[in-house]
Amino acid sequence: MATGSLNNSPSTRCSYSNDGITWINNTMPASAKWNFPVWNGNIFFVMDSDTVGASSSDGITWKLYALPTPSSGTGWANIGNSGSVIILTRSIAIGNLFESAWSDNGGASWHLVTTALSYLNPSGAVNNIGADGTGKVVVVSSDGATVSLNNGASWTRYTMVGTTSWYSVVYGNGTWVAASAGGASGSIIATSPDGIFWTNRGASPISAIPKLFFNGSQFSMVGLSGSSQSFSTSSDGITWTVAVST
């Protein structure tokens, strides 16, 4: 399913597909800046960045929920899931605070967690929350990885390789893979066996806005290479093959 807003304006637009080819237009239950859809194995959950979320078991019929109110300011930067648990994250510039919220009942209620960490500004990338299915969750940012071992209930910050802006992270085949989007070290790939200790794997085939996925057997990455749209695949997260560049 897909949701979206035009020119970052509130919208009720939504589409769903049974095959990823043919799409049917649908309507969300409220006008909002809908983005960031995730699937937790039972439901789709989508949010706007500020106040409202919605869940659906089929991408057709939706139920509205209020998002938790952050302790300072407004707006959630990222959404992801660890199994059935939905997780929101953001950073707060005052006090080096990392804030998250998690829900284990489809967004009906939320647990707010605020942690003092020594870095700021997790990137706003849609795909920057990864989970391994055991409760471990990794959020990458401009200067490190923030790791939870308990589905977002508590967090610890770790340093990553290179001087770069980490933009996306995913888990698959026993390996964590992260992609960056520039910085002093350029756009690079890193892998980790545990989400804590990372190895620089060299230049990324995607130079801007990388988004990582794992389909159960291989990794894939979409984004921009220069001014061209690019799609790459990898079996191990280390060696990448450019499949499409347009």
Side-chain angles (χ1 to χ4, degrees), residues 27 72 145 156 158 243:
T27 302
S72 175
T156 303
Y158 296 94

Side-chain angles (χ1 to χ4, degrees), residues 173-186:
N173 282 345
T175 301
W176 293 89
V177 181
S180 75
S185 299

Side-chain angles (χ1 to χ4, degrees), residues 132-158:
D132 68 357
T134 69
K136 179 177 286 187
V137 183
V138 175
V139 180
V140 294
S141 70
S142 58
D143 60 352
T146 305
V147 179
S148 172
L149 301 179
N150 48 17
N151 286 328
S154 61
W155 298 88
T156 303
R157 184 254 180 169
Y158 296 94

Side-chain angles (χ1 to χ4, degrees), residues 86-235:
I86 301 167
I87 300 171
L88 313 177
T89 64
R90 68 190 294 266
S91 66
I92 307 170
I94 299 174
N96 283 352
L97 298 180
F98 176 84
E99 193 159 48
S100 66
W102 59 273
S103 172
D104 58 4
N105 56 9
S109 61
W110 295 88
H111 305 268
L112 194 64
V113 180
T114 301
T115 309
L117 297 173
S118 59
Y119 78 102
L120 298 177
N121 299 326
S123 75
V126 172
N127 256 25
N128 75 341
I129 299 177
D132 68 357
T134 69
K136 179 177 286 187
V137 183
V138 175
V139 180
V140 294
S141 70
S142 58
D143 60 352
T146 305
V147 179
S148 172
L149 301 179
N150 48 17
N151 286 328
S154 61
W155 298 88
T156 303
R157 184 254 180 169
Y158 296 94
T159 301
M160 292 183 70
V161 294
T163 304
T164 188
S165 181
W166 295 102
Y167 200 82
S168 186
V169 63
V170 73
Y171 177 85
N173 282 345
T175 301
W176 293 89
V177 181
S180 75
S185 299
S187 298
I188 59 177
I189 296 290
T191 63
S192 171
D194 55 13
I196 297 172
F197 300 99
W198 293 84
T199 300
N200 187 337
R201 298 300 184 179
S204 169
I206 305 292
S207 59
I209 323 179
K211 296 180 183 179
L212 285 163
F213 304 90
F214 182 73
N215 70 357
S217 60
Q218 72 173 2
F219 298 95
S220 60
M221 180 167 46
V222 296
L224 297 176
S225 295
S227 59
S228 300
Q229 300 178 49
S230 187
F231 173 73
S232 298
T233 60
S234 173
S235 61

